[in-house]
Amino acid sequence: LYGAILPSGADATTGLAISVAGSEQEFVKLMNKKADELGLKDTHFTNASGLFDKNHYTTAEDMAVIIREAMKNDLCKKVLSTYQYTTAKTPQHPDGIELTSTLFSYMYGTEPETAKITGGKTGFVSESGYCIASFGKANSGAEYVCVTLKGVSLWPTVYDQIDLYSRYAK
């Protein structure tokens, strides 16, 4: 899970899919079934990693539903909220492998004053641009989800997230 979420490891998503469903194709069927159960109208999956496929799509509204659902699961919320994680030690990697959240590495030092971004996931493929789905808590205690899609470059997308929290999470 940490390998899939923190550095956006497509190899980890494939491994998880095979472990859970026997193949990535079978896992995708489960993903689409869950999308239907959540009432998502504008989402369809074709792979577990989010790599581009013209038939693999979602909207900001549907992604907000997905991230809210993930927040209900303690393990998902923990992984999405982790800044760094070190894998188990192996003979090939005696110190383990340190994984760092792309979300938090981009946000560090630029957090909004009105809220704390507590977790989320970044994504990028050329066809979809820079995308971020995050969740946070305003200084007032109110919880928020923020989704930005199709960013033209990394830093404007990061600053859009920070700006949205600054404007609305009061």
Side-chain angles (χ1 to χ4, degrees), residues 1 5-6 13 18 20 53 58-59 63 69 78 81 84 102 104 117 128 133-134 139 141 144 164 167-168:
L1 288 173
I5 299 298
L6 301 186
T13 63
I18 292 168
V20 169
D53 181 298
T58 193
T59 62
M63 185 54 63
E69 187 69 15
K78 177 182 176 184
S81 299
Q84 287 184 320
T102 53
F104 290 123
I117 299 171
S128 301
S134 68
N139 296 343
Y144 289 85
L164 287 166
R167 287 182 188 211
Y168 299 104

CSV table of all heavy atoms in Angstrom, one decimal, residues 1 5-6 13 18 20 53 58-59 63 69 78 81 84 102 104 117 128 133-134 139 141 144 164 167-168:
chain,number,residue,atom,x,y,z
A,1,LEU,N,0.8,-1.2,0.0
A,1,LEU,CA,0.0,0.0,0.0
A,1,LEU,C,0.9,1.3,0.0
A,1,LEU,O,0.6,2.2,-0.7
A,1,LEU,CB,-0.9,0.0,1.2
A,1,LEU,CG,-2.1,-1.0,1.2
A,1,LEU,CD1,-2.8,-1.0,2.5
A,1,LEU,CD2,-3.0,-0.7,0.0
A,5,ILE,N,0.9,4.2,-2.9
A,5,ILE,CA,0.4,5.6,-2.6
A,5,ILE,C,1.5,6.6,-2.5
A,5,ILE,O,1.4,7.7,-3.1
A,5,ILE,CB,-0.4,5.6,-1.2
A,5,ILE,CG1,-1.6,4.7,-1.4
A,5,ILE,CG2,-0.8,7.0,-0.8
A,5,ILE,CD1,-2.6,5.1,-2.4
A,6,LEU,N,2.5,6.4,-1.7
A,6,LEU,CA,3.5,7.5,-1.5
A,6,LEU,C,4.3,7.9,-2.7
A,6,LEU,O,4.2,9.0,-3.1
A,6,LEU,CB,4.5,7.0,-0.4
A,6,LEU,CG,3.8,6.7,1.0
A,6,LEU,CD1,4.9,6.5,2.1
A,6,LEU,CD2,2.9,7.8,1.4
A,13,THR,N,0.9,-1.2,-7.4
A,13,THR,CA,-0.5,-1.3,-7.7
A,13,THR,C,-0.8,-2.6,-8.4
A,13,THR,O,-1.8,-3.3,-8.2
A,13,THR,CB,-1.1,-0.1,-8.5
A,13,THR,OG1,-0.5,-0.1,-9.8
A,13,THR,CG2,-0.9,1.2,-7.8
A,18,ILE,N,-2.9,-8.2,-8.2
A,18,ILE,CA,-2.8,-9.6,-8.3
A,18,ILE,C,-3.0,-10.3,-7.0
A,18,ILE,O,-3.7,-11.3,-6.9
A,18,ILE,CB,-1.4,-9.9,-8.9
A,18,ILE,CG1,-1.3,-9.4,-10.3
A,18,ILE,CG2,-1.1,-11.4,-8.8
A,18,ILE,CD1,0.1,-9.4,-10.9
A,20,VAL,N,-4.9,-9.3,-4.5
A,20,VAL,CA,-6.3,-9.2,-4.0
A,20,VAL,C,-7.2,-10.0,-5.0
A,20,VAL,O,-8.1,-10.7,-4.5
A,20,VAL,CB,-6.7,-7.7,-4.0
A,20,VAL,CG1,-8.3,-7.6,-3.8
A,20,VAL,CG2,-6.0,-7.0,-2.9
A,53,ASP,N,-5.4,5.7,-20.3
A,53,ASP,CA,-6.2,4.9,-21.2
A,53,ASP,C,-7.5,5.8,-21.5
A,53,ASP,O,-8.1,6.3,-20.6
A,53,ASP,CB,-6.6,3.6,-20.6
A,53,ASP,CG,-7.4,2.7,-21.6
A,53,ASP,OD1,-8.5,3.1,-22.0
A,53,ASP,OD2,-6.9,1.6,-21.9
A,58,THR,N,-12.3,9.9,-14.7
A,58,THR,CA,-13.1,10.3,-13.5
A,58,THR,C,-13.3,11.8,-13.6
A,58,THR,O,-12.8,12.5,-14.5
A,58,THR,CB,-12.4,9.9,-12.2
A,58,THR,OG1,-13.4,10.0,-11.1
A,58,THR,CG2,-11.2,10.7,-11.8
A,59,THR,N,-14.0,12.3,-12.6
A,59,THR,CA,-14.2,13.8,-12.5
A,59,THR,C,-13.8,14.2,-11.1
A,59,THR,O,-13.6,13.3,-10.2
A,59,THR,CB,-15.7,14.1,-12.6
A,59,THR,OG1,-16.5,13.5,-11.5
A,59,THR,CG2,-16.3,13.7,-14.0
A,63,MET,N,-13.9,11.9,-7.8
A,63,MET,CA,-12.7,11.6,-7.0
A,63,MET,C,-12.9,12.1,-5.6
A,63,MET,O,-12.3,11.4,-4.7
A,63,MET,CB,-11.5,12.4,-7.7
A,63,MET,CG,-10.2,12.1,-7.0
A,63,MET,SD,-9.8,10.3,-6.8
A,63,MET,CE,-9.7,9.8,-8.5
A,69,GLU,N,-14.4,8.2,0.8
A,69,GLU,CA,-14.7,6.8,1.1
A,69,GLU,C,-13.4,6.2,1.7
A,69,GLU,O,-13.4,5.4,2.7
A,69,GLU,CB,-15.1,6.0,-0.1
A,69,GLU,CG,-15.5,4.6,0.2
A,69,GLU,CD,-16.8,4.4,1.0
A,69,GLU,OE1,-17.6,5.4,1.2
A,69,GLU,OE2,-17.0,3.3,1.5
A,78,LYS,N,-4.4,6.1,7.2
A,78,LYS,CA,-3.1,6.2,7.7
A,78,LYS,C,-2.1,6.2,6.6
A,78,LYS,O,-1.1,7.1,6.6
A,78,LYS,CB,-2.8,4.9,8.5
A,78,LYS,CG,-1.4,4.8,9.1
A,78,LYS,CD,-1.2,3.5,9.9
A,78,LYS,CE,0.2,3.4,10.3
A,78,LYS,NZ,0.4,2.1,11.0
A,81,SER,N,-2.0,9.5,4.8
A,81,SER,CA,-1.5,10.6,5.7
A,81,SER,C,0.0,10.4,6.1
A,81,SER,O,0.5,11.2,6.8
A,81,SER,CB,-2.3,10.6,7.0
A,81,SER,OG,-3.6,10.8,6.7
A,84,GLN,N,6.7,9.7,5.3
A,84,GLN,CA,7.7,8.7,4.9
A,84,GLN,C,7.5,7.4,5.5
A,84,GLN,O,7.0,7.3,6.6
A,84,GLN,CB,9.1,9.3,5.3
A,84,GLN,CG,9.6,10.4,4.5
A,84,GLN,CD,11.0,10.8,4.8
A,84,GLN,OE1,11.3,10.9,6.0
A,84,GLN,NE2,11.7,11.2,3.8
A,102,THR,N,4.7,11.9,-2.4
A,102,THR,CA,4.9,13.0,-3.3
A,102,THR,C,4.0,14.2,-2.9
A,102,THR,O,4.4,15.4,-3.0
A,102,THR,CB,4.5,12.6,-4.7
A,102,THR,OG1,3.2,12.0,-4.7
A,102,THR,CG2,5.5,11.6,-5.3
A,104,PHE,N,3.2,15.2,0.3
A,104,PHE,CA,3.8,16.0,1.3
A,104,PHE,C,5.1,16.6,0.9
A,104,PHE,O,5.5,17.7,1.4
A,104,PHE,CB,3.9,15.2,2.6
A,104,PHE,CG,2.6,14.9,3.2
A,104,PHE,CD1,2.2,13.6,3.5
A,104,PHE,CD2,1.7,15.9,3.6
A,104,PHE,CE1,1.0,13.3,4.0
A,104,PHE,CE2,0.5,15.6,4.2
A,104,PHE,CZ,0.1,14.3,4.4
A,117,ILE,N,-3.3,20.3,5.8
A,117,ILE,CA,-3.6,19.2,4.8
A,117,ILE,C,-3.0,18.0,5.5
A,117,ILE,O,-1.8,17.9,5.7
A,117,ILE,CB,-2.9,19.5,3.5
A,117,ILE,CG1,-3.6,20.8,2.9
A,117,ILE,CG2,-3.1,18.4,2.5
A,117,ILE,CD1,-2.9,21.4,1.7
A,128,SER,N,-3.6,13.8,-18.7
A,128,SER,CA,-4.5,14.3,-17.7
A,128,SER,C,-3.9,15.4,-16.9
A,128,SER,O,-4.6,16.1,-16.1
A,128,SER,CB,-4.8,13.2,-16.7
A,128,SER,OG,-5.4,12.1,-17.4
A,133,ALA,N,-5.7,14.9,-5.0
A,133,ALA,CA,-6.9,14.7,-4.2
A,133,ALA,C,-6.3,14.7,-2.8
A,133,ALA,O,-5.5,13.9,-2.4
A,133,ALA,CB,-7.5,13.4,-4.5
A,134,SER,N,-6.8,15.7,-1.9
A,134,SER,CA,-6.3,15.8,-0.6
A,134,SER,C,-7.5,15.9,0.4
A,134,SER,O,-8.6,16.2,0.0
A,134,SER,CB,-5.4,16.9,-0.4
A,134,SER,OG,-6.0,18.2,-0.6
A,139,ASN,N,-8.6,25.1,10.9
A,139,ASN,CA,-8.3,25.4,12.3
A,139,ASN,C,-9.5,25.4,13.1
A,139,ASN,O,-9.5,25.1,14.3
A,139,ASN,CB,-7.7,26.8,12.3
A,139,ASN,CG,-6.3,26.9,11.6
A,139,ASN,OD1,-5.7,25.8,11.3
A,139,ASN,ND2,-5.9,28.1,11.3
A,141,GLY,N,-11.7,23.1,13.0
A,141,GLY,CA,-12.0,21.6,13.2
A,141,GLY,C,-12.8,21.0,12.1
A,141,GLY,O,-13.0,19.8,12.0
A,144,TYR,N,-12.2,18.9,5.3
A,144,TYR,CA,-12.4,19.2,3.9
A,144,TYR,C,-11.8,18.2,3.0
A,144,TYR,O,-10.8,17.6,3.4
A,144,TYR,CB,-11.8,20.6,3.6
A,144,TYR,CG,-12.5,21.8,4.2
A,144,TYR,CD1,-12.3,22.1,5.5
A,144,TYR,CD2,-13.5,22.4,3.4
A,144,TYR,CE1,-13.0,23.2,6.1
A,144,TYR,CE2,-14.2,23.5,4.0
A,144,TYR,CZ,-13.9,23.9,5.3
A,144,TYR,OH,-14.6,24.9,5.9
A,164,LEU,N,-7.1,27.0,-2.4
A,164,LEU,CA,-8.5,26.5,-2.1
A,164,LEU,C,-8.7,26.3,-0.6
A,164,LEU,O,-9.7,26.7,0.0
A,164,LEU,CB,-8.8,25.3,-2.8
A,164,LEU,CG,-9.1,25.5,-4.3
A,164,LEU,CD1,-9.1,24.2,-5.1
A,164,LEU,CD2,-10.4,26.2,-4.6
A,167,ARG,N,-8.8,29.8,1.1
A,167,ARG,CA,-10.1,30.5,0.9
A,167,ARG,C,-11.3,29.9,1.6
A,167,ARG,O,-12.1,30.6,2.1
A,167,ARG,CB,-10.4,30.5,-0.6
A,167,ARG,CG,-9.6,31.4,-1.4
A,167,ARG,CD,-10.0,31.3,-2.9
A,167,ARG,NE,-9.1,32.1,-3.7
A,167,ARG,CZ,-9.5,32.7,-4.8
A,167,ARG,NH1,-10.7,32.6,-5.2
A,167,ARG,NH2,-8.6,33.3,-5.5
A,168,TYR,N,-11.4,28.6,1.6
A,168,TYR,CA,-12.6,27.9,2.1
A,168,TYR,C,-12.5,27.2,3.5
A,168,TYR,O,-13.5,27.1,4.1
A,168,TYR,CB,-13.1,26.9,1.0
A,168,TYR,CG,-13.4,27.7,-0.3
A,168,TYR,CD1,-12.6,27.6,-1.3
A,168,TYR,CD2,-14.5,28.5,-0.4
A,168,TYR,CE1,-12.8,28.2,-2.5
A,168,TYR,CE2,-14.8,29.1,-1.5
A,168,TYR,CZ,-14.0,29.0,-2.6
A,168,TYR,OH,-14.3,29.7,-3.8
